[in-house]
Amino acid sequence: MTIHIPENDFGQIRVFATDGPLPKPVLDKTPDGLRQLLGTDALDPTFIDIVKVDDLGPMVLSDYITQGYDMPTADHDLAAVNGIEGFAILILSSAARGQAVILQPANGVRHITTYVPDARLTPVEPLTAKSAEGIIADPPAKPAKSDARIGGMIAMYALIAMFLLVGLMIWVAG
């Protein structure tokens, strides 16, 4: 079985199952382990989750996916996903790093389903409140400097000049 992950794939979770025990390189998600399990090492192991179903306790795998990945489950996949025994391998779209990847799962690894995010768009309703009407004006221009401000600046410069002149006179006299 060959599974194609298209270029720029986004938001999907591919669920695989295997009943047998997995070797340590696979559980550690090493490049050799991923090549052995999925037929490729082009995936980012950060975005691959290998779940031992028995470790979930009373939680079923579909609840784990719903709560852990915020992905709604489809009713037609519920029985198949919750029926996984052994290990579940969850491959997020981000694992492909935006590249097209071909998966060739090893014998005993089977593809159960692919979770696809709900992409329903809601139309924007026009705003009907009176406060939503009108035109946004340009920001107000910077006000001109007042006469008092200009006079204060001149007085400050005069005080600085007098301070420097007095300092120079004391230094020369000293």
Side-chain angles (χ1 to χ4, degrees):
M1 163 178 45
T2 301
I3 296 174
H4 298 274
I5 299 177
E7 186 176 359
N8 297 321
D9 189 45
F10 178 76
Q12 298 185 21
I13 300 174
R14 288 165 179 80
V15 180
F16 293 85
T18 182
D19 295 330
L22 295 175
K24 184 164 177 37
V26 172
L27 293 173
D28 292 340
K29 298 185 273 186
T30 64
D32 289 336
L34 293 178
R35 191 177 312 108
Q36 179 183 352
L37 182 71
L38 301 169
T40 183
D41 59 356
L43 297 174
D44 183 352
T46 308
F47 300 101
I48 298 175
D49 194 6
I50 299 176
V51 180
K52 186 174 182 182
V53 177
D54 291 341
D55 290 347
L56 295 177
M59 178 183 278
V60 292
L61 186 60
S62 62
D63 288 343
Y64 176 80
I65 294 170
T66 301
Q67 294 173 19
Y69 293 102
D70 196 25
M71 183 71 74
T73 56
D75 290 336
H76 64 278
D77 294 335
L78 216 53
V81 171
N82 291 337
I84 294 174
E85 296 177 4
F87 288 91
I89 299 112
L90 309 176
I91 302 174
L92 282 66
S93 293
S94 302
R97 301 179 186 130
Q99 304 298 316
V101 176
I102 297 174
L103 303 178
Q104 294 177 332
N107 290 334
V109 178
R110 56 195 188 282
H111 180 241
I112 303 298
T113 188
T114 299
Y115 284 93
V116 179
D118 190 12
R120 280 184 273 163
L121 300 176
T122 56
V124 177
E125 295 181 23
L127 300 175
T128 57
K130 260 191 162 181
S131 62
E133 296 175 3
I135 299 173
I136 299 174
D138 292 333
K142 194 174 181 182
K145 295 180 183 175
S146 67
D147 290 339
R149 182 174 175 189
I150 293 173
M153 289 172 47
I154 292 172
M156 182 183 70
Y157 291 132
L159 283 171
I160 292 173
M162 287 184 354
F163 174 75
L164 292 174
L165 184 62
V166 170
L168 179 65
M169 290 170 57
I170 293 173
W171 181 62
V172 169

